[in-house]
Amino acid sequence: MKLLILDGNSVINRAYFGVKPLTTREGLYTHAIYGFLNILERMEKEEQPEAICVAFDLHGPTFRHEKYEGYKANRHGMPEELAQQMPIMKDVLRAMNIPIYECQGWEADDVIGTVGRICSNNDWECVVVTGDRDSLQLIDENVHVKLVISKPGQTNATLYTEEKFREEYGFEPKKLIDLKALMGDSSDNIPGVAGVGPKTAKDLLAKFGSLDGVYAHLDDPSIRPKLREKLEAGRDMAYLSYDLATIRPEAPIDFAPRDAIVQPYNRPALYELFQKLEFVRLIDRYGLRGAAAEATQSEMVPKLASLPKCDSMPEGVAECALYLAEDGSMGLAWEGGVCTLTPMEVSMASLHLENKTLILHDCKTAMHRLTELGLNFGTCVFDTALAAYDLNPSQSDYPVSKLATTFLGRSIEDGDAAACAEAVWLLRPILERELQSGGMEKLYRDMELPLCTVLFRMEQRGISIDRKQLEQFGVMLSQRIADCESLIFSYSDGPFNINSTRQLGELLFDKLGLPPVKKTKTGYSTNAEVLEKLRSKHPIIPAIMDYRMLTKLKSTYADGLIKEIREDGRIHTTFQNLVTATGRLSSTEPNLQNIPVRTDLGAEIRKMFVPKEGCVLVDADYSQIELRVLSHIADDKVMQEAFCSGADIHTATAAQVFGVSPQDVTPLQRRHAKAVNFGIVYGISEFSLAEDIGVSRYEARAYIDNYLSNYRGVRAYMKQVVADARVTGFTQTLYGRRRYIPELSSSNFNIRSGAERIALNTPIQGTAADIIKLAMIKVENALQENFPDAKLLLQVHDELIVECPEKIAQEVADLVSREMANVADLKVPLIAEAKSGKSWYEAK
């Protein structure tokens, strides 16, 4: 029989620091609990124990503190974000019927040691799960330790047996106490012998076997005189440290291995807790959907009556919720009931959806699916996924099941078409109230919802691409890649795998003797940053950089785009409108927003995007929209004056920062000013700026200080926006789009600093994203009204691409520029420059 015991404080600490911060809608941190449960689940799968329990520390001094006042004196207090999760973590374990053992005046290590001893006495195997190496001293033939090491995005676990421990340390596990007695332990503030480090301590133990053995042989000639002096002076501390480091398996706990045998969960209680924590995926993973009926409904969600089940929807229904499940079945819900149609019934039914207003979930996707089914449909008046995204854009996804759990207190399956349609119907009024109370109803009504139809049409239209030209481009790239390989192999004295980091590192740093820039646990780093620093050190480096650029162009674009061409000769990207936390759109399958433009060869790809016969492409691009938004939001008069006068903002900034007249600004000064301008928007540090423009940190700091002393409105904004976000817990755009930033209250400096940068740049980035969204709606409507043969095809960051007949190209360009420029009333002009051409490259 096997028992698994988790060192609760150690595991939850690893989870806290190893998982990206997560919060509920109410701001409760949950990531430590989530990470703990993931580790627990993994350990169960790997070890297959018959029994499980968890040991925790209790607040208050232990007998070790009484022996040594400095014990653990250097420990920082538990972060508040973790402390608030601890009692809930214990509630979760209780709901899982996993026993918790803790003992006042004793540490969890002692409790674990006691559990291990009792297991051994009862011929049970015991596996200790911990991130603390102290527990390795407990290892014997029955007790093993699973050492968990977590870092962001990754958790590794190593099982230590007696054999594994000896292999790594060179002595038996119990001697770990002797090792700590000699070298001390900074994490627990165990002093050890002053001046004796890990290597010396290991050497002493290897020779003399134990702490007692070391002190019995102080006169041994192999011990250096200075080391002997240290050992003699530190004798008392060594034995005190031995005492402090020893885990005492005699804690007064009431434990028997059979008490921890795995039991069925208290499903209603666990469901309630996961609901509160918004662990929708875990509800599914733990099979708790059926527990909804058993659970007492939370007071935080409304008690809504279920709609009656019907065989079909009456013909006179004017408004309904519609949900298409993955299996092709359709759920319909209306005021009087809910019904399900099988895929066969969907194909045969006369639904007359074109005469109804619809409530949908992810309406853009739903529109595509209805179109594929050959069904005409009416106007979508509400999108539950879109509303949930606007309310909390930092969530990873917005399935109906998750919203039903959060807002309705119901547990449903995403594959249950009728249940999902009913949930969508019931969610609408609740989400509408949430939007209104958050000040986002206008954002949703005037921008987000109408944009879905625009995006649907754009995705349907696609953009034409010249297949033949793209194929020729791929052939050319293949030849250049082959040339690069030959050049690289000539320097390496033979072929090797250029894409292997290990092989490339060995060549560059071992064989060719280049100075290593960065080492990782697995060897030398050869990333782009490293190669850039080595560019001038050897001619092989530029060849490798070219090889990487060319292979990326070929795989992603020359080969990748050809695969995406549909039967109509066009590429149809998907615009993701429920993903980014700032409100920006992203593009996938394929991503047309990252077509390279900074290299001549990369820019060539835009030549392959062409209009249909008799048409041209019109490309309109906002000029420096984020800086214009910054000047408006910060109400910076100096920056506003530069924009209003038509001056080049980077030249104007360079003149301010370097104290010269605009006509005397050098190209280098303008480039540096440009880096500062855009860096300020993203909260750039002096270190990052120095790296970006190749100056010292002192110079970079001076640039930033000069910038902020001249643009005082920006300086005041930078302070105020972060301060406001700390008070409210969120930051927002000019249009009311919110982004919640709970990390602002984090006790972790790096997390808090990152949150401050988010608070600083989200209003700028988000407002720019809102403006381009409004521009898309205005341009689409204006084109439909004035030039119906002109079609909006793409949005790429701050530019819009329209396809139109060549004879009306100038009129369309003027209309697009005008609509984009007049979409927002800022204190500085919005400038949108439009050009046309026979390819995206020509129009850009």
Side-chain angles (χ1 to χ4, degrees), residues 424-571:
V424 169
W425 176 267
L426 296 173
L427 281 165
R428 178 190 178 175
I430 296 170
L431 294 175
E432 283 181 326
R433 286 195 297 272
E434 292 278 333
L435 288 167
Q436 199 161 15
S437 65
M440 285 181 280
E441 203 267 343
K442 184 175 173 59
L443 170 89
Y444 180 81
R445 287 284 169 202
D446 296 348
M447 182 192 305
E448 295 285 67
L449 192 57
L451 181 68
C452 291
T453 301
V454 176
L455 295 174
F456 164 70
R457 292 173 184 161
M458 291 167 65
E459 292 174 0
Q460 289 286 96
R461 292 165 186 158
I463 185 169
S464 183
I465 194 161
D466 188 329
R467 177 188 286 270
K468 186 175 180 181
Q469 193 177 354
L470 192 58
E471 288 172 345
Q472 291 172 346
F473 184 64
V475 171
M476 180 273 292
L477 289 175
S478 294
Q479 183 56 55
R480 292 188 58 171
I481 290 168
D483 293 342
C484 265
E485 286 180 336
S486 297
L487 181 59
I488 292 167
F489 294 158
S490 71
Y491 292 120
S492 64
D493 294 333
F496 68 100
N497 183 357
I498 303 172
N499 297 313
S500 165
T501 300
R502 182 184 62 79
Q503 291 184 35
L504 184 59
E506 289 172 355
L507 168 68
L508 297 180
F509 306 113
D510 293 337
K511 190 172 182 178
L512 297 181
L514 297 178
V517 176
K518 181 180 178 183
K519 282 200 83 170
T520 66
K521 288 184 177 179
T522 55
Y524 299 106
S525 172
T526 61
N527 63 21
E529 181 185 353
V530 168
L531 293 186
E532 186 60 46
K533 290 179 178 178
L534 295 172
R535 180 189 283 271
S536 61
K537 302 291 185 183
H538 194 285
I540 197 174
I541 302 297
I544 293 168
M545 295 173 77
D546 284 347
Y547 172 86
R548 287 184 175 178
M549 180 266 292
L550 292 167
T551 53
K552 170 73 172 176
L553 285 176
K554 186 168 191 309
S555 63
T556 304
Y557 301 108
D559 298 340
L561 289 177
I562 282 179
K563 295 174 185 175
E564 298 291 345
I565 301 174
R566 297 192 192 172
E567 291 181 3
D568 60 2
R570 299 171 80 88
I571 285 179

Side-chain angles (χ1 to χ4, degrees), residues 592-613:
L592 296 183
Q593 293 191 337
N594 70 344
I595 301 290
V597 293
R598 293 186 179 179
T599 63
D600 291 340
L601 201 55
E604 287 283 309
I605 297 166
R606 293 196 173 204
K607 291 181 179 178
M608 287 87 178
F609 290 89
V610 294
K612 65 183 180 182
E613 190 68 31

Side-chain angles (χ1 to χ4, degrees), residues 463 466 469 597 602-611 615-620 799-802 806 809 813 833-844:
I463 185 169
D466 188 329
Q469 193 177 354
V597 293
E604 287 283 309
I605 297 166
R606 293 196 173 204
K607 291 181 179 178
M608 287 87 178
F609 290 89
V610 294
C615 290
V616 294
L617 295 180
V618 173
D619 187 311
E799 66 180 298
L800 300 181
I801 296 99
V802 173
E806 188 169 4
E833 301 170 353
K835 298 177 183 177
S836 63
K838 282 292 188 179
S839 69
W840 188 1
Y841 181 89
E842 277 186 26
K844 178 65 179 165

Side-chain angles (χ1 to χ4, degrees), residues 233-407:
R235 184 190 294 263
D236 289 344
M237 279 299 179
Y239 279 97
L240 172 63
S241 298
Y242 185 94
D243 204 25
L244 294 174
T246 301
I247 293 175
R248 306 202 179 279
E250 53 206 41
I253 59 171
D254 183 13
F255 167 78
R258 292 194 173 276
D259 295 342
I261 286 179
V262 174
Q263 301 292 323
Y265 303 146
N266 180 335
R267 288 164 49 78
L270 190 59
Y271 173 79
E272 279 285 335
L273 284 164
F274 281 2
Q275 195 178 40
K276 175 184 177 181
L277 296 166
E278 297 177 10
F279 287 168
V280 175
R281 289 182 179 173
L282 292 189
I283 287 174
D284 290 328
R285 214 155 78 201
Y286 282 65
L288 299 175
R289 287 289 171 196
E294 309 163 43
T296 303
Q297 194 172 32
S298 170
E299 296 177 3
M300 301 180 66
V301 294
K303 295 184 179 180
L304 299 171
S306 295
L307 296 172
K309 302 292 188 291
C310 303
D311 293 331
S312 62
M313 183 172 64
E315 287 192 12
V317 171
E319 184 170 273
C320 67
L322 183 153
Y323 184 85
L324 279 164
E326 287 296 320
D327 65 0
S329 61
M330 178 186 291
L332 294 165
W334 62 99
E335 190 174 1
V338 60
C339 72
T340 307
L341 300 180
T342 66
M344 181 65 72
E345 289 170 333
V346 170
S347 66
M348 298 177 64
S350 299
L351 297 172
H352 302 297
L353 296 176
E354 66 274 15
N355 301 326
K356 306 182 191 305
T357 54
L358 302 176
I359 305 162
L360 301 171
H361 185 80
D362 187 3
C363 67
K364 182 168 67 68
T365 301
M367 290 176 191
H368 282 297
R369 293 193 64 189
L370 289 170
T371 301
E372 290 164 6
L373 291 168
L375 298 173
N376 295 322
F377 50 88
T379 304
C380 174
V381 293
F382 199 82
D383 180 340
T384 48
L386 187 67
Y389 165 74
D390 284 342
L391 289 169
N392 190 352
S394 298
Q395 293 287 330
S396 57
D397 56 7
Y398 305 89
V400 176
S401 58
K402 190 173 188 175
L403 304 191
T405 297
T406 303
F407 294 100

